[in-house]
Amino acid sequence: MSGVTPVGAFPQTPVTQRPGPGANSTPVIPLNILDAPTQRLYALGVYTALFAWKFYDWAQLVEEETESFWLFLKWLGIDFVFLFGLPELRIPWLELSQLFVVVAFFFHAIFDWMLMFNIGFPWQAWLFGFVKVFYDREVAISEHNVKISSIIHNSSLIMGRQIINILPEGSAVLNPEHQSFCLGDDRKTAALPLFFNATIPIEVELIRTDLETNQNESIKLSRVQLRDIERKAKRESQDGVQPAVQYEYVVKKPGIYQLGRVLDEYKLEVNRKTPPTFVVPCPKAWVGPIAQSGRCLGDLSDVSLQVEGTPPLKIKYSRTINGKDHSFHFQSLQPEGFSSPLTGLRSTSVMGLCEEDFSWARPHRVPVGLNESMHVSGEWQYSVDEVQDAFGNIVKYESGVDDVEAKPKPKHLVQNFVVKERPHVRLEGCDLRRPLKVAKGESKELPVRFQIPGSGPEGTAHTLTWMFSPIDTLTESGDHGDVISTGTYDAKNARDRPMISAPGLYTLKSVSAGSCEGEIQEPSSCLLLNPLEPKLTLRAEDIPDTCAGNSIGLRVDMDLIGTPPFLVRYDVISNGQRRSERVTIPGLRYQMDLIPRTAGHHKYIFTHIGDDIYSKGQKLTGSEYVLEQDVKPAASALIQHSTGKMGSCLGDEVAADILLLGDPPFTLEWEIIHDGKRKQHKATNIQENSFQIRTKPLTQGGEYTLGLTSVQDKRGCRNFLQDELKISVRRQSPRAAFGQVEGKRKMLAVEGSAVKLPVRLTGEGPWKVFYTNSEVVDAEGKPKVMESMVKHDNGYLAVKGRGTYTITDSWDSQCHGVVDAKASTFEVDWFARPQMSVVLSPGVTEDEAGGYKVEDVCEGDVSGFELALQGTPPYTVEYEVRHRPLQGSPSLSKKKFEASLGKESIQADTAKAGLYMYKFTSLEDHLYSSDRSFQPLLVKQHVNRRPSATFAKAGQTFKYCKSEQDNEDGIPVTLTGVAPFVLEVEIKHQSASVPEIYRTPPITSRTYDLRIPRQHLRLGTQQIRIRDVRDASGCHSAAAADLSSSSSVQVQLFEAPTIYPLETRTDYCVGERISYTLSGTPPFEVWYTFDGAERRAKSPTTSFRRVAESPGEFVITTISDKASECRAPVRIAKTIHPLPAVRMSQGKSVQVDIHEGGEVDILFEFFGTPPFEFTYTRSTNARKGQRSQVLETRHEVSHEHTKVIRASLEGTYEVVAIKDKYCAFSTQGAEVGKERGKGQKAIKY
């Protein structure tokens, strides 16, 4: 069956289809030839190999300083081919998207750039060291690659070591560091440390003393535990030496533990120390129960902390008030009469106690009372943070500051209180001197002011209690009598007050809010009274007329009882008509005259009386509150005017209407008072009850008074009158005139804009102003009169036309005005429109067509012309620049600029040759925008093309010898322009700061071979650049305007190459690098001899370096470079010395066991050139799992090839550094080099 997969076969890799119509996703290499995982493995292998090759090139670049640019291009191409070629193979799971490939190539390019240009990055040193692990080879004198590390890290130079062991004595100790242990809630077991030194026990016995019974219990370690100790000792032993072994014995019961009997493998009792180790119950603490959690300000906290453990105990608790934490300590907590040997001892000296009675170590419970005044309101919290017993066992309940997952403390460790403010209450607006007064049967709020500091309206519910004594039971001093009752009121908020109605003395007794009793402040007593109801008694008598003897009214005397002020209401019935009146009486007695103005029968009915307490009023009934009379009033006259004041214009007449009361005919007398003068007037035989007084024209301004003096009716009784009318007459007529603008009545405005003409008006507004304009006439040709309403005395007339404006007439709100003839006219004219012209100069002339012409200039020269502007700045000018080049189509550009002065410079465009035409099409100033009547200005200018000169072989390098040669080729130059030409070139040597200038003779053709005399050239490389070229038209082209590569070439002048050593010393050591610097043109060839054999080496750079791999004589004889192709003879000799060597204990690792006080001879053998200096160390003997530590370092000198040193201290002795007359070697830092201070150099790696 072909469709069934064989058992044990791997599933085939799924072939994914890449999106796209008709896309072929079949791998280039079929899967039946090479499966997908293998193809991916090969792709990864190629990628890894490329990276290894890349790091190899980078290491060579760092070592040899080769060319970076070509390596960068090389790896850029390789990465491009690999990354963009990999998706084309269509390997399953490696079908990378185009975007991914582009991004990956971008990051590879950045990495190649940093690597091949040796850009510093943080992990460069690490990467270089990593590459060096796999490739650490340099070229040696034998012209072979050698591994430098194999030379300088030669382990055969320092060989051998001496190990000395001091045999120890066995011992055993329990808890040598005197640690304290406890068992509690989260500490179920305790691990007691047992130390065995230089022994393997076969029997261990522990003695446990019970804390409660003080009885001893023997505990022996089991065979399994002893076998664990033996295995651990053998694991940690080195070279047969038994180390100190630590074993942790786990206990689960509290008690006093001591080390009993310990036998070693020879069944001999081991030396042991038996100080007691105390394992006690862990201390603990909690907050005792309380009655209630609510507190009031000033209450005592009454909190009890319970502490349990081995005394003396220490407890740390915190008190938090409104989020502010305060920590407190209690120390030396112990029961009364308790005595402990720990008192006065430090915690470490407890282990030295050798008592048999350990009852003092039993745990005790000690209560700690906290009873402090709660002086701050808010949230209080007491919490237990830490407890410690006498042995230093600490139990912490608080979480760390940085503990993110801190959990709240259990409830038994925390006690929270809410301390509330106490309320305050007092009476306001009522005391014994200011009693409350209320009408009988009515109630009133008890004026209680309730306060709780810091509480909102919702938290002010309270209960109020007071004492009450009726008014008739009070004592003579006004205090409460024998009859006292208590009242209580539950208020919902501070504005909720109890209602009281019974007269008597009310005294606040208590106030409480929640569970907190409050404070009663003064005043706390209030007297409530029910005043008498108001009463009225009337007495009336007639008011006789002094002339006729008739009654003209009633005089009523009122006697009142109650609380002033009183309000008396009464009805008046006159000739069948009824109206209501009222009168306010401030005291207890009052007299009122009832004098009607009309004759007839009048009836007065008093209906109600009210006072300050009984505001609703008491109804009056009975005949004594009804008064009647028949009245014939005396003659009288009234001026019918609502206000008694009126105004008048100067010179106008005033009319006043008079109402006459009585029986006609009347005789009326009045007077007019002005400036202290009175003028009497009289009118007789007035048959009507109305009369009009009309004055003469009032020609003087000021205050007039029209006063009625007397009136007489047909009865002949003359009555005195007091009514009068105030008349205010203006002292002058309203005036109208034009105001001034900048000191004159003339204004310039923008044509067609609205203009506001200032007017100055006197009188009372608003005003009507009539005016004319000389430019505006009616159908008859006369100036047209126009009208405008002005609301303010310093107003304006809004006009829109030019001309002379004249005010013809004016009115204010009441009177006709006059026009000031001297200020009745105002002229309005328009600002002139802006103008523009070109300023003529020697370089700017006017052409025949009315335009302007600017003199011809060369391409790129600075040129321009000036515009003269007239108008109101700033100006805005728009113009067009049309360019007609010598070849090609013309171009057009539009420009715009703003100017603030009367002249503006225009920078001409000379960037390209051809004809330029500047057409100015629009001109605007501050007042006017461009209009259709503006005449454009045209300015023309010709720009000539500049000549040019370029090297035909630009960018190339021309090589010459220092001495001139026959048939030398020149430097070809191509020129454009109008012949003849003058060419100027700049010669800049790489070592010179100032370039040299060379000018050619006139050139008559467009091609030229440039030959520079040798006196203008120097050895080395110089740049030849075309600085300037001038043609027959007078234009020139400077090199500063064109610095492209087409205007410069390189000229090299050579001499024979040379070689110099980087160091003056002649003695070197094996493993050092011998470096030289080369002068000339790379690549170089160097011939040298080593131990009589001649060799040739090539150097692609100016540096030549070789590694001294073996001792001998190294002499450089000849050198040549690529440019000069000549060999220069030299002789530079260097001597290479071998590295010194030392053998300790004949090059072997020797171990010797000695007892305390013994000695060992250590033999040192040296190889090299004496004298020898060497350094050796004594370090701790190596143990498994522990690093050896250097104990001491010694430095010795030997003038012979051998030396013996005696040693008696335990440790490992090793040589770490050796130095002879020429060279030195050290295992610390792998230093290979010469002795410093004698002109010799050390080489470090």
Side-chain angles (χ1 to χ4, degrees), residues 17 70 102 151 211 224 269 353 422 468 606 841 891 899 1038:
Q17 295 289 337
W70 299 111
V102 171
I151 300 176
L211 292 175
V224 176
E269 199 162 331
L353 297 176
R422 293 185 181 273
F468 169 71
F606 291 86
S841 64
S891 62

Side-chain angles (χ1 to χ4, degrees), residues 575-848:
N575 298 325
Q577 296 181 353
R578 188 175 186 135
R579 72 177 187 275
S580 297
E581 299 286 345
R582 64 172 61 188
V583 60
T584 301
I585 302 172
L588 298 177
R589 293 179 58 82
Y590 187 71
Q591 187 179 71
M592 179 176 61
D593 291 340
L594 301 175
I595 303 177
R597 295 183 178 275
T598 59
H601 182 75
H602 300 276
K603 186 175 182 180
Y604 303 93
I605 304 173
F606 291 86
T607 59
H608 292 82
I609 181 174
D611 61 1
D612 189 48
I613 303 301
Y614 296 89
S615 57
K616 296 181 180 179
Q618 301 290 328
K619 189 174 182 180
L620 300 176
T621 57
S623 58
E624 64 271 17
Y625 298 112
V626 179
L627 302 178
E628 296 186 48
Q629 70 170 163
D630 292 324
V631 175
K632 210 170 195 180
S636 180
L638 299 173
I639 299 175
Q640 292 185 319
H641 196 277
S642 59
T643 61
K645 295 181 180 180
M646 65 179 300
S648 175
C649 300
L650 189 64
D652 289 353
E653 297 179 352
V654 177
D657 295 330
I658 309 299
L659 176 62
L660 299 172
L661 301 175
D663 297 328
F666 299 95
T667 299
L668 180 63
E669 296 181 3
W670 71 91
E671 60 182 0
I672 296 176
I673 305 172
H674 177 64
D675 288 340
K677 299 179 181 179
R678 297 176 181 268
K679 189 172 182 180
Q680 303 291 334
H681 298 273
K682 183 177 181 181
T684 60
N685 197 20
I686 301 173
Q687 298 297 329
E688 302 293 335
N689 289 93
S690 60
F691 180 72
Q692 187 180 62
I693 299 176
R694 182 173 292 275
T695 66
K696 294 180 180 180
L698 305 178
T699 57
Q700 295 182 358
E703 295 291 333
Y704 289 81
T705 301
L706 172 61
L708 303 181
T709 56
S710 65
V711 65
Q712 183 178 351
D713 61 357
K714 71 175 182 179
R715 287 177 290 184
C717 291
R718 186 170 178 268
N719 295 323
F720 177 76
L721 300 176
Q722 297 180 350
D723 205 3
E724 61 183 21
L725 176 65
K726 299 288 186 180
I727 304 172
S728 178
V729 180
R730 298 188 186 179
R731 297 186 180 275
Q732 61 180 6
S733 299
R735 301 178 65 85
F738 279 115
Q740 294 182 344
V741 177
E742 296 180 354
K744 54 186 178 181
R745 294 180 179 86
K746 188 175 182 180
M747 179 185 295
L748 294 177
V750 178
E751 183 177 352
S753 63
V755 182
K756 295 181 179 180
L757 305 181
V759 291
R760 302 295 177 260
L761 305 170
T762 61
E764 297 181 0
W767 293 266
K768 288 183 180 180
V769 180
F770 301 89
Y771 63 94
T772 62
N773 182 6
S774 59
E775 302 291 332
V776 180
V777 297
D778 56 10
E780 298 179 358
K782 296 181 180 181
K784 182 178 179 181
V785 179
M786 291 167 282
E787 177 184 347
S788 178
M789 180 69 70
V790 182
K791 297 182 179 180
H792 303 286
D793 50 0
N794 292 308
Y796 58 86
L797 297 178
V799 298
K800 286 189 176 182
R802 62 188 297 181
T804 301
Y805 289 86
T806 304
I807 298 177
T808 58
D809 199 0
S810 68
W811 281 83
D812 70 354
S813 61
Q814 183 179 1
C815 304
H816 183 266
V818 296
V819 179
D820 187 354
K822 296 180 180 180
S824 62
T825 60
F826 200 102
E827 296 183 11
V828 178
D829 203 353
W830 305 133
F831 285 102
R833 289 187 173 273
Q835 297 180 354
M836 177 174 58
S837 61
V838 178
V839 179
L840 299 179
S841 64
V844 181
T845 58
E846 192 171 1
D847 60 7
E848 299 177 355

Side-chain angles (χ1 to χ4, degrees), residues 286-393:
W286 63 94
V287 181
I290 61 171
Q292 56 182 1
S293 60
R295 294 290 190 275
C296 300
L297 193 66
D299 287 351
L300 298 178
S301 58
D302 193 17
V303 177
S304 175
L305 303 180
Q306 302 292 330
V307 187
E308 186 175 321
T310 302
L313 298 164
K314 298 179 183 179
I315 185 172
K316 176 183 175 184
Y317 73 96
S318 60
R319 184 190 67 193
T320 304
I321 304 176
N322 295 326
K324 296 182 179 180
D325 191 6
H326 304 274
S327 297
F328 300 93
H329 296 266
F330 277 119
Q331 299 185 4
S332 300
L333 300 177
Q334 58 189 17
E336 293 185 4
F338 177 79
S339 177
S340 172
L342 300 180
T343 306
L345 297 178
R346 292 189 295 177
S347 61
T348 56
S349 26
V350 128
M351 302 303 173
L353 297 176
C354 298
E355 297 184 4
E356 295 183 357
D357 184 11
F358 296 103
S359 59
W360 53 268
R362 298 171 185 170
H364 293 74
R365 182 177 298 181
V366 181
V368 180
L370 303 177
N371 209 14
E372 53 186 343
S373 177
M374 295 185 169
H375 57 284
V376 178
S377 62
E379 295 184 356
W380 286 52
Q381 184 187 76
Y382 289 90
S383 63
V384 178
D385 297 335
E386 182 180 305
V387 63
Q388 180 179 349
D389 64 4
F391 297 103
N393 296 310

Side-chain angles (χ1 to χ4, degrees), residues 422-428 430 446-452 462-467 480 486-489 498 506-513 516-526:
R422 293 185 181 273
H424 304 284
V425 67
R426 62 183 177 87
L427 297 174
E428 57 180 3
C430 178
L446 183 64
V448 177
R449 180 176 179 82
F450 176 84
Q451 285 182 326
I452 295 183
H462 58 280
T463 301
L464 189 67
T465 305
W466 65 87
M467 297 187 299
H480 290 278
T486 302
T488 302
Y489 182 75
Y506 293 84
T507 301
L508 298 179
K509 183 178 180 182
S510 65
V511 63
S512 62
C516 296
E517 291 290 335
E519 179 184 356
I520 304 298
Q521 298 178 343
E522 294 296 331
S524 61
S525 296
C526 178

